[in-house]
Amino acid sequence: LNLTPYLLYTARQDEFAGISLIIGDTVFSTYSNRITHVSELKERPARSSKIEGLPLTVNLYAESWTMEDLVFALLFGLLCGSSIGVLCFYWLMMRANPRKEILTGIKQNQFHVVYQPVVGASDLQMRGVEVLMRWQHPGAGAIPPDAFINFAEAQQLIVPLTLHLFDLILRDAPALAKRLPPGSKLGINISPGHLHAESFKDDMRKFAASLPPDHFQIVLEITERDMLNQREATKLFEWLHLEGFEIAVDDFGTGHSALIYLERFTMDYLKIDRGFVNAIGMETVTSPVLDAVLTLARRLNMVTVAEGVETPEQAKWLRDHDVNLLQGYWISRPLPLEQFLNWQPDIHLDRE
Ligand code: C2E
Ligand code: CA
Ligand code: CA
């Protein structure tokens, strides 16, 4: 009788906090150093054993939680919960992080280029192409270039993306050189983020040196907004011309600054935004703004390119107003390499 409860108690010390032996109404327990009455037992036992045939009960008591324990457990639970929450959040963010998506896209070859022919307005013969980038995302499908270019620009990813564009062009270059005669224009869109990057000059030199020698005339398409830093732009344009690159003002007429830049910088081409071209034929008194732009370009010795030519009427109007080059769906949509290699112009304009 003396030994059994003692063994029980010591063997399970970590789980049980106390023991009492109840003999009839008398209690002998670890809660008191004297013999007490059964009515004085306040705690509920965790386990209780009655010994058959004897007036003896053995109660074992477990540790109950104090207020402090409860607060501690609650705080611990909260901490664990929020840590798991934060981890999940970051995990999801990492998975859906478009910055990483672009880098993965480059690594996994999800980008490709398409080529849109540019033809002479008078003879409709191909003079060159504009290279446009495409992103076929495995989950989201085709992502429009306006969206991913702007995003890459904002995330400082435009340099790696443009370098990837250069690699894609270099991959196609031998085939392109067979389809396009020497001197053909290769129009490439350059974002301001790359234009003002330290590596820009090096990148351009390396790219040009890797193309088939003396075959393509590279034309860098730059929008008016990108020429804001006038001193830097003047120097850069001088350097580009010295190195043999040509410069086109892209989307002319949509920027904020427009005309003033034409006077300040020497640029070779003026690409008239398709907004102006769209308007041809819609306005009653032809297109006075477009007329003025064309007169100006001529006086500045710039070659004019009309973008977004969708109908023969527009093409005819542009040719009659001495626009030099035409580009648009009427001539051809932007084409993947294979289709471009087999493309033959199938367009006619009757002379009056
Ligand atoms: P952008 O430089 O003005 O390129 C011409 C856009 O007009 C292209 O759209 C082309 O598909 C579209 N287009 C051509 N002909 C017609 C037509 O007849 N009608 C109509 N409605 N649209 C026509 P895309 O390929 O969606 O490119 C949009 C813009 O994204 C480009 O405008 C350019 O600013 C940018 N972009 C495309 N590829 C690149 C690239 O490799 N690098 C950079 N920095 N920007 C690029
Ligand atoms: Ca362009
Ligand atoms: Ca354009």
Side-chain angles (χ1 to χ4, degrees):
L1 196 88
N2 269 339
L3 203 60
T4 315
Y6 174 77
L7 281 178
L8 253 176
Y9 181 43
T10 49
R12 311 289 300 271
Q13 250 187 76
D14 52 339
E15 275 183 44
F16 296 108
I19 186 169
S20 56
L21 296 177
I22 305 157
I23 306 157
D25 289 343
T26 315
V27 177
F28 185 61
S29 84
T30 50
Y31 291 107
S32 174
N33 49 13
R34 58 189 178 83
I35 292 169
T36 52
H37 191 260
V38 74
S39 60
E40 286 177 61
L41 271 178
K42 289 191 188 97
E43 300 231 15
R44 278 168 57 90
R47 279 174 53 191
S48 180
S49 318
K50 233 177 140 34
I51 308 213
E52 277 298 317
L54 284 173
L56 180 67
T57 309
V58 179
N59 280 357
L60 289 170
Y61 300 91
E63 194 85 75
S64 65
W65 286 39
T66 63
M67 198 56 194
E68 222 172 60
D69 292 339
L70 275 174
V71 169
F72 180 75
L74 205 72
L75 282 177
F76 184 73
L78 271 174
L79 196 75
C80 284
S82 44
S83 310
I84 291 169
V86 167
L87 279 175
C88 286
F89 176 75
Y90 274 103
W91 184 70
L92 286 172
M93 280 279 291
M94 287 294 283
R95 279 197 48 176
N97 180 352
R99 192 185 150 84
K100 223 183 110 211
E101 293 279 317
I102 289 192
L103 292 170
T104 312
I106 292 177
K107 265 196 224 137
Q108 299 185 349
N109 223 1
Q110 292 165 8
F111 291 93
H112 69 278
V113 285
V114 287
Y115 300 92
Q116 188 172 35
V118 177
V119 299
S122 50
D123 58 2
L124 302 179
Q125 292 302 301
M126 182 154 55
R127 299 291 155 78
V129 287
E130 177 173 1
V131 187
L132 295 158
M133 215 176 194
R134 294 287 176 265
W135 185 8
Q136 191 63 36
H137 188 276
I143 299 175
D146 292 315
F148 70 80
I149 297 283
N150 282 339
F151 183 81
E153 179 94 15
Q155 294 289 316
Q156 264 85 48
L157 282 177
I158 198 68
V159 177
L161 194 64
T162 313
L163 292 181
H164 185 56
L165 169 80
F166 289 173
D167 284 342
L168 294 172
I169 299 173
L170 290 173
R171 229 184 268 176
D172 292 351
L176 289 173
K178 284 191 190 134
R179 174 68 185 86
L180 289 161
S184 294
K185 316 283 178 201
L186 197 62
I188 297 171
N189 294 286
I190 295 290
S191 293
H194 196 185
L195 200 66
H196 302 300
E198 241 173 66
S199 68
F200 178 68
K201 290 183 180 175
D202 261 2
D203 296 341
M204 286 314 302
R205 270 204 184 117
K206 277 188 199 141
F207 171 61
S210 314
L211 281 170
D214 302 322
H215 197 98
F216 298 108
Q217 172 60 57
I218 299 175
V219 181
L220 299 182
E221 302 197 0
I222 298 166
T223 64
E224 299 160 76
R225 275 170 301 140
D226 312 341
M227 301 167 205
L228 285 178
N229 186 342
Q230 195 198 329
R231 272 186 57 199
E232 200 187 329
T234 311
K235 274 202 204 145
L236 195 62
F237 289 179
E238 268 173 22
W239 180 86
L240 284 169
H241 280 136
L242 269 176
E243 293 283 317
F245 300 107
E246 289 185 320
I247 305 165
V249 191
D250 203 354
D251 302 340
F252 183 76
T254 58
H256 313 283
S257 41
L259 302 174
I260 192 93
Y261 290 112
L262 295 187
E263 234 184 6
R264 287 190 186 155
F265 305 111
T266 26
M267 284 163 301
D268 310 281
Y269 302 87
L270 192 122
K271 295 194 82 168
I272 302 150
D273 189 68
R274 63 168 174 270
F276 289 113
V277 177
N278 263 334
I280 298 174
M282 295 221 234
E283 292 175 32
T284 39
V285 201
T286 63
S287 310
V289 181
L290 185 51
D291 261 338
V293 168
L294 294 175
T295 310
L296 187 78
R298 219 169 292 132
R299 288 195 52 189
L300 292 166
N301 286 325
M302 292 174 85
V303 177
T304 46
V305 188
E307 296 188 306
V309 182
E310 293 184 354
T311 66
E313 291 73 35
Q314 290 167 349
K316 191 170 175 314
W317 191 98
L318 291 161
R319 186 197 61 193
D320 294 346
H321 286 76
D322 298 325
V323 168
N324 305 100
L325 301 163
L326 305 179
Q327 178 183 354
Y329 293 168
W330 179 64
I331 297 124
S332 167
R333 290 199 170 242
L335 302 169
L337 181 71
E338 284 307 312
Q339 284 178 38
F340 172 71
L341 296 177
N342 296 317
W343 179 78
Q344 291 300 333
D346 182 26
I347 38 179
H348 310 276
L349 279 182
D350 306 321
R351 295 257 171 206
E352 272 140 39

Short mmCIF file of all heavy atoms in Angstrom, two decimals, residues 55-101:
data_model
loop_
_atom_site.label_atom_id
_atom_site.label_comp_id
_atom_site.label_asym_id
_atom_site.label_seq_id
_atom_site.Cartn_x
_atom_site.Cartn_y
_atom_site.Cartn_z
N PRO A 55 -11.74 -0.44 1.06
CA PRO A 55 -12.26 0.95 1.04
C PRO A 55 -11.14 1.91 0.61
O PRO A 55 -10.86 2.88 1.29
CB PRO A 55 -12.68 1.18 2.48
CG PRO A 55 -11.78 0.30 3.29
CD PRO A 55 -11.40 -0.87 2.45
N LEU A 56 -10.53 1.59 -0.53
CA LEU A 56 -9.34 2.36 -0.91
C LEU A 56 -9.47 2.89 -2.34
O LEU A 56 -9.80 2.15 -3.27
CB LEU A 56 -8.11 1.44 -0.82
CG LEU A 56 -6.78 2.08 -1.19
CD1 LEU A 56 -6.36 3.14 -0.19
CD2 LEU A 56 -5.71 1.02 -1.30
N THR A 57 -9.24 4.16 -2.50
CA THR A 57 -9.23 4.77 -3.85
C THR A 57 -7.91 5.51 -4.03
O THR A 57 -7.46 6.19 -3.10
CB THR A 57 -10.38 5.79 -3.99
OG1 THR A 57 -11.58 5.16 -3.59
CG2 THR A 57 -10.50 6.30 -5.42
N VAL A 58 -7.32 5.34 -5.20
CA VAL A 58 -6.09 6.09 -5.50
C VAL A 58 -6.43 7.10 -6.61
O VAL A 58 -6.93 6.72 -7.67
CB VAL A 58 -4.97 5.15 -5.99
CG1 VAL A 58 -3.71 5.95 -6.31
CG2 VAL A 58 -4.67 4.09 -4.95
N ASN A 59 -6.22 8.37 -6.33
CA ASN A 59 -6.45 9.44 -7.34
C ASN A 59 -5.13 10.01 -7.81
O ASN A 59 -4.26 10.30 -6.99
CB ASN A 59 -7.26 10.59 -6.74
CG ASN A 59 -8.73 10.27 -6.67
OD1 ASN A 59 -9.17 9.21 -7.13
ND2 ASN A 59 -9.50 11.17 -6.08
N LEU A 60 -5.03 10.18 -9.11
CA LEU A 60 -3.84 10.84 -9.64
C LEU A 60 -4.29 12.17 -10.27
O LEU A 60 -5.30 12.23 -10.96
CB LEU A 60 -3.17 9.96 -10.71
CG LEU A 60 -2.48 8.70 -10.18
CD1 LEU A 60 -2.09 7.79 -11.33
CD2 LEU A 60 -1.26 9.06 -9.36
N TYR A 61 -3.51 13.23 -10.02
CA TYR A 61 -3.89 14.56 -10.53
C TYR A 61 -2.89 15.03 -11.59
O TYR A 61 -1.69 14.88 -11.42
CB TYR A 61 -3.94 15.57 -9.39
CG TYR A 61 -4.95 15.17 -8.33
CD1 TYR A 61 -4.56 14.39 -7.26
CD2 TYR A 61 -6.28 15.56 -8.48
CE1 TYR A 61 -5.49 13.99 -6.32
CE2 TYR A 61 -7.22 15.14 -7.52
CZ TYR A 61 -6.81 14.37 -6.46
OH TYR A 61 -7.72 13.97 -5.53
N ALA A 62 -3.43 15.61 -12.67
CA ALA A 62 -2.55 16.15 -13.73
C ALA A 62 -2.40 17.65 -13.51
O ALA A 62 -3.23 18.26 -12.84
CB ALA A 62 -3.16 15.90 -15.10
N GLU A 63 -1.36 18.18 -14.10
CA GLU A 63 -1.11 19.63 -13.99
C GLU A 63 -2.24 20.36 -14.72
O GLU A 63 -2.55 20.05 -15.86
CB GLU A 63 0.22 19.94 -14.69
CG GLU A 63 0.78 21.29 -14.41
CD GLU A 63 1.60 21.32 -13.12
OE1 GLU A 63 2.74 20.80 -13.13
OE2 GLU A 63 1.09 21.84 -12.13
N SER A 64 -2.85 21.31 -14.12
CA SER A 64 -3.86 22.07 -14.86
C SER A 64 -3.21 23.38 -15.34
O SER A 64 -2.22 23.82 -14.79
CB SER A 64 -5.06 22.36 -13.97
OG SER A 64 -4.67 23.20 -12.93
N TRP A 65 -3.77 23.98 -16.41
CA TRP A 65 -3.16 25.17 -17.00
C TRP A 65 -3.46 26.40 -16.18
O TRP A 65 -4.61 26.66 -15.82
CB TRP A 65 -3.70 25.38 -18.42
CG TRP A 65 -3.11 24.40 -19.38
CD1 TRP A 65 -2.87 23.10 -19.15
CD2 TRP A 65 -2.71 24.68 -20.71
NE1 TRP A 65 -2.33 22.52 -20.23
CE2 TRP A 65 -2.22 23.47 -21.24
CE3 TRP A 65 -2.71 25.81 -21.51
CZ2 TRP A 65 -1.73 23.37 -22.51
CZ3 TRP A 65 -2.24 25.71 -22.78
CH2 TRP A 65 -1.74 24.51 -23.29
N THR A 66 -2.40 27.15 -15.91
CA THR A 66 -2.60 28.41 -15.20
C THR A 66 -2.93 29.47 -16.23
O THR A 66 -2.79 29.25 -17.45
CB THR A 66 -1.31 28.83 -14.47
OG1 THR A 66 -0.32 29.06 -15.47
CG2 THR A 66 -0.84 27.76 -13.50
N MET A 67 -3.34 30.63 -15.80
CA MET A 67 -3.67 31.75 -16.69
C MET A 67 -2.45 32.11 -17.54
O MET A 67 -2.54 32.38 -18.73
CB MET A 67 -4.11 32.94 -15.83
CG MET A 67 -4.88 33.98 -16.59
SD MET A 67 -6.31 33.23 -17.40
CE MET A 67 -6.73 34.52 -18.51
N GLU A 68 -1.29 32.08 -16.88
CA GLU A 68 -0.04 32.42 -17.57
C GLU A 68 0.23 31.44 -18.73
O GLU A 68 0.60 31.85 -19.83
CB GLU A 68 1.09 32.30 -16.56
CG GLU A 68 2.10 33.42 -16.65
CD GLU A 68 3.07 33.36 -15.49
OE1 GLU A 68 3.77 32.33 -15.37
OE2 GLU A 68 3.10 34.32 -14.71
N ASP A 69 -0.03 30.15 -18.40
CA ASP A 69 0.18 29.13 -19.44
C ASP A 69 -0.72 29.40 -20.64
O ASP A 69 -0.31 29.29 -21.79
CB ASP A 69 -0.16 27.73 -18.90
CG ASP A 69 0.86 27.30 -17.85
OD1 ASP A 69 1.96 27.87 -17.85
OD2 ASP A 69 0.51 26.42 -17.04
N LEU A 70 -1.99 29.76 -20.31
CA LEU A 70 -2.96 29.99 -21.39
C LEU A 70 -2.53 31.15 -22.28
O LEU A 70 -2.55 31.05 -23.51
CB LEU A 70 -4.34 30.30 -20.79
CG LEU A 70 -5.17 29.07 -20.43
CD1 LEU A 70 -6.45 29.50 -19.71
CD2 LEU A 70 -5.54 28.29 -21.70
N VAL A 71 -2.12 32.26 -21.65
CA VAL A 71 -1.69 33.43 -22.42
C VAL A 71 -0.49 33.07 -23.29
O VAL A 71 -0.42 33.40 -24.47
CB VAL A 71 -1.36 34.61 -21.47
CG1 VAL A 71 -0.67 35.74 -22.22
CG2 VAL A 71 -2.63 35.10 -20.80
N PHE A 72 0.43 32.33 -22.68
CA PHE A 72 1.63 31.93 -23.41
C PHE A 72 1.28 31.07 -24.63
O PHE A 72 1.76 31.30 -25.74
CB PHE A 72 2.56 31.16 -22.45
CG PHE A 72 3.82 30.71 -23.11
CD1 PHE A 72 4.84 31.63 -23.38
CD2 PHE A 72 4.00 29.39 -23.49
CE1 PHE A 72 6.00 31.22 -23.99
CE2 PHE A 72 5.15 28.97 -24.11
CZ PHE A 72 6.17 29.89 -24.37
N ALA A 73 0.38 30.10 -24.38
CA ALA A 73 -0.02 29.20 -25.48
C ALA A 73 -0.71 29.98 -26.59
O ALA A 73 -0.47 29.75 -27.78
CB ALA A 73 -0.93 28.11 -24.96
N LEU A 74 -1.53 30.94 -26.17
CA LEU A 74 -2.27 31.73 -27.16
C LEU A 74 -1.30 32.56 -28.02
O LEU A 74 -1.40 32.58 -29.26
CB LEU A 74 -3.23 32.67 -26.41
CG LEU A 74 -4.44 33.10 -27.20
CD1 LEU A 74 -5.40 31.93 -27.35
CD2 LEU A 74 -5.15 34.26 -26.49
N LEU A 75 -0.34 33.19 -27.33
CA LEU A 75 0.64 33.99 -28.06
C LEU A 75 1.48 33.13 -29.00
O LEU A 75 1.74 33.47 -30.16
CB LEU A 75 1.58 34.71 -27.08
CG LEU A 75 0.98 35.94 -26.42
CD1 LEU A 75 1.94 36.53 -25.41
CD2 LEU A 75 0.62 36.99 -27.48
N PHE A 76 1.85 31.96 -28.50
CA PHE A 76 2.65 31.05 -29.30
C PHE A 76 1.88 30.61 -30.55
O PHE A 76 2.41 30.60 -31.66
CB PHE A 76 3.04 29.84 -28.44
CG PHE A 76 3.96 28.89 -29.15
CD1 PHE A 76 5.29 29.23 -29.38
CD2 PHE A 76 3.50 27.65 -29.61
CE1 PHE A 76 6.13 28.37 -30.04
CE2 PHE A 76 4.33 26.80 -30.29
CZ PHE A 76 5.66 27.15 -30.50
N GLY A 77 0.59 30.30 -30.32
CA GLY A 77 -0.27 29.90 -31.45
C GLY A 77 -0.37 31.00 -32.49
O GLY A 77 -0.24 30.77 -33.69
N LEU A 78 -0.55 32.24 -31.97
CA LEU A 78 -0.66 33.39 -32.89
C LEU A 78 0.62 33.56 -33.71
O LEU A 78 0.58 33.78 -34.92
CB LEU A 78 -0.91 34.67 -32.09
CG LEU A 78 -2.37 35.00 -31.82
CD1 LEU A 78 -2.47 36.22 -30.90
CD2 LEU A 78 -3.07 35.32 -33.15
N LEU A 79 1.75 33.42 -33.00
CA LEU A 79 3.05 33.59 -33.65
C LEU A 79 3.24 32.54 -34.76
O LEU A 79 3.61 32.86 -35.89
CB LEU A 79 4.16 33.46 -32.61
CG LEU A 79 5.51 33.97 -33.06
CD1 LEU A 79 5.52 35.49 -33.06
CD2 LEU A 79 6.62 33.45 -32.14
N CYS A 80 2.92 31.28 -34.40
CA CYS A 80 3.06 30.19 -35.38
C CYS A 80 2.15 30.46 -36.57
O CYS A 80 2.57 30.36 -37.73
CB CYS A 80 2.68 28.85 -34.77
SG CYS A 80 3.95 28.24 -33.70
N GLY A 81 0.89 30.82 -36.27
CA GLY A 81 -0.10 31.06 -37.34
C GLY A 81 0.37 32.15 -38.28
O GLY A 81 0.36 31.98 -39.50
N SER A 82 0.84 33.29 -37.69
CA SER A 82 1.22 34.38 -38.58
C SER A 82 2.49 34.04 -39.35
O SER A 82 2.63 34.44 -40.50
CB SER A 82 1.35 35.72 -37.83
OG SER A 82 2.04 35.52 -36.65
N SER A 83 3.42 33.29 -38.73
CA SER A 83 4.63 32.91 -39.48
C SER A 83 4.26 32.05 -40.68
O SER A 83 4.77 32.26 -41.79
CB SER A 83 5.60 32.11 -38.61
OG SER A 83 5.81 32.75 -37.42
N ILE A 84 3.36 31.11 -40.45
CA ILE A 84 2.94 30.24 -41.56
C ILE A 84 2.26 31.08 -42.64
O ILE A 84 2.51 30.91 -43.83
CB ILE A 84 2.03 29.11 -41.05
CG1 ILE A 84 2.87 28.15 -40.20
CG2 ILE A 84 1.37 28.36 -42.20
CD1 ILE A 84 2.07 27.14 -39.41
N GLY A 85 1.42 32.03 -42.18
CA GLY A 85 0.73 32.92 -43.12
C GLY A 85 1.72 33.69 -43.98
O GLY A 85 1.61 33.74 -45.20
N VAL A 86 2.73 34.29 -43.32
CA VAL A 86 3.73 35.08 -44.04
C VAL A 86 4.49 34.19 -45.03
O VAL A 86 4.71 34.57 -46.19
CB VAL A 86 4.71 35.76 -43.04
CG1 VAL A 86 5.91 36.33 -43.75
CG2 VAL A 86 3.98 36.86 -42.29
N LEU A 87 4.85 32.99 -44.57
CA LEU A 87 5.57 32.07 -45.47
C LEU A 87 4.74 31.73 -46.70
O LEU A 87 5.24 31.76 -47.83
CB LEU A 87 5.93 30.78 -44.72
CG LEU A 87 7.17 30.89 -43.84
CD1 LEU A 87 7.37 29.59 -43.05
CD2 LEU A 87 8.41 31.17 -44.70
N CYS A 88 3.45 31.43 -46.47
CA CYS A 88 2.56 31.10 -47.59
C CYS A 88 2.47 32.27 -48.56
O CYS A 88 2.53 32.11 -49.77
CB CYS A 88 1.15 30.78 -47.10
SG CYS A 88 1.07 29.18 -46.32
N PHE A 89 2.35 33.50 -47.98
CA PHE A 89 2.22 34.70 -48.79
C PHE A 89 3.44 34.83 -49.72
O PHE A 89 3.31 35.03 -50.92
CB PHE A 89 2.08 35.92 -47.87
CG PHE A 89 2.03 37.23 -48.59
CD1 PHE A 89 0.88 37.62 -49.26
CD2 PHE A 89 3.12 38.08 -48.60
CE1 PHE A 89 0.82 38.82 -49.94
CE2 PHE A 89 3.08 39.29 -49.27
CZ PHE A 89 1.93 39.67 -49.93
N TYR A 90 4.64 34.69 -49.12
CA TYR A 90 5.85 34.82 -49.92
C TYR A 90 5.97 33.73 -50.97
O TYR A 90 6.40 33.96 -52.08
CB TYR A 90 7.09 34.87 -49.03
CG TYR A 90 7.35 36.28 -48.58
CD1 TYR A 90 7.01 36.69 -47.30
CD2 TYR A 90 7.86 37.22 -49.47
CE1 TYR A 90 7.20 38.00 -46.90
CE2 TYR A 90 8.05 38.53 -49.07
CZ TYR A 90 7.72 38.92 -47.79
OH TYR A 90 7.90 40.21 -47.42
N TRP A 91 5.55 32.55 -50.58
CA TRP A 91 5.60 31.44 -51.52
C TRP A 91 4.72 31.72 -52.74
O TRP A 91 5.13 31.55 -53.88
CB TRP A 91 5.18 30.15 -50.80
CG TRP A 91 5.30 28.95 -51.67
CD1 TRP A 91 6.46 28.37 -52.10
CD2 TRP A 91 4.23 28.18 -52.22
NE1 TRP A 91 6.18 27.29 -52.89
CE2 TRP A 91 4.80 27.15 -52.98
CE3 TRP A 91 2.84 28.27 -52.15
CZ2 TRP A 91 4.04 26.21 -53.65
CZ3 TRP A 91 2.09 27.34 -52.82
CH2 TRP A 91 2.69 26.32 -53.55
N LEU A 92 3.49 32.22 -52.43
CA LEU A 92 2.57 32.54 -53.53
C LEU A 92 3.11 33.70 -54.36
O LEU A 92 3.03 33.69 -55.59
CB LEU A 92 1.19 32.90 -52.97
CG LEU A 92 0.38 31.71 -52.47
CD1 LEU A 92 -0.89 32.18 -51.76
CD2 LEU A 92 0.01 30.79 -53.63
N MET A 93 3.68 34.71 -53.65
CA MET A 93 4.24 35.86 -54.35
C MET A 93 5.35 35.41 -55.29
O MET A 93 5.45 35.87 -56.42
CB MET A 93 4.84 36.85 -53.34
CG MET A 93 3.85 37.73 -52.67
SD MET A 93 3.40 39.11 -53.72
CE MET A 93 4.91 40.03 -53.72
N MET A 94 6.22 34.54 -54.80
CA MET A 94 7.34 34.06 -55.60
C MET A 94 6.83 33.34 -56.85
O MET A 94 7.36 33.48 -57.93
CB MET A 94 8.20 33.08 -54.80
CG MET A 94 9.05 33.71 -53.73
SD MET A 94 10.30 34.76 -54.45
CE MET A 94 11.44 33.49 -55.00
N ARG A 95 5.76 32.59 -56.61
CA ARG A 95 5.22 31.82 -57.74
C ARG A 95 4.61 32.73 -58.78
O ARG A 95 4.70 32.48 -59.97
CB ARG A 95 4.15 30.83 -57.23
CG ARG A 95 4.77 29.60 -56.66
CD ARG A 95 3.75 28.53 -56.56
NE ARG A 95 3.00 28.40 -57.80
CZ ARG A 95 2.09 27.48 -58.01
NH1 ARG A 95 1.80 26.60 -57.08
NH2 ARG A 95 1.44 27.41 -59.15
N ALA A 96 3.93 33.82 -58.29
CA ALA A 96 3.23 34.69 -59.24
C ALA A 96 4.03 35.95 -59.54
O ALA A 96 3.51 36.89 -60.09
CB ALA A 96 1.87 35.05 -58.67
N ASN A 97 5.30 36.00 -59.18
CA ASN A 97 6.11 37.19 -59.37
C ASN A 97 6.44 37.39 -60.86
O ASN A 97 7.19 36.62 -61.44
CB ASN A 97 7.38 37.02 -58.55
CG ASN A 97 8.31 38.21 -58.68
OD1 ASN A 97 8.07 39.09 -59.50
ND2 ASN A 97 9.35 38.22 -57.87
N PRO A 98 5.85 38.42 -61.49
CA PRO A 98 6.06 38.59 -62.92
C PRO A 98 7.51 38.87 -63.28
O PRO A 98 7.96 38.57 -64.37
CB PRO A 98 5.18 39.78 -63.28
CG PRO A 98 4.37 40.10 -62.09
CD PRO A 98 5.02 39.47 -60.90
N ARG A 99 8.27 39.45 -62.34
CA ARG A 99 9.68 39.71 -62.59
C ARG A 99 10.41 38.39 -62.86
O ARG A 99 11.14 38.24 -63.83
CB ARG A 99 10.28 40.39 -61.36
CG ARG A 99 11.63 40.96 -61.59
CD ARG A 99 12.19 41.52 -60.30
NE ARG A 99 13.64 41.38 -60.36
CZ ARG A 99 14.44 42.25 -60.96
NH1 ARG A 99 13.95 43.33 -61.50
NH2 ARG A 99 15.73 42.03 -61.02
N LYS A 100 10.11 37.43 -61.97
CA LYS A 100 10.72 36.11 -62.13
C LYS A 100 10.20 35.44 -63.41
O LYS A 100 10.92 34.73 -64.09
CB LYS A 100 10.39 35.26 -60.91
CG LYS A 100 11.58 34.47 -60.41
CD LYS A 100 11.21 33.58 -59.26
CE LYS A 100 11.24 32.16 -59.68
NZ LYS A 100 10.30 31.30 -59.00
N GLU A 101 8.91 35.73 -63.69
CA GLU A 101 8.29 35.13 -64.88
C GLU A 101 9.05 35.53 -66.15
O GLU A 101 9.24 34.72 -67.04
CB GLU A 101 6.84 35.60 -65.02
CG GLU A 101 5.92 35.10 -63.94
CD GLU A 101 5.45 33.68 -64.18
OE1 GLU A 101 5.11 33.37 -65.32
OE2 GLU A 101 5.46 32.91 -63.21
#
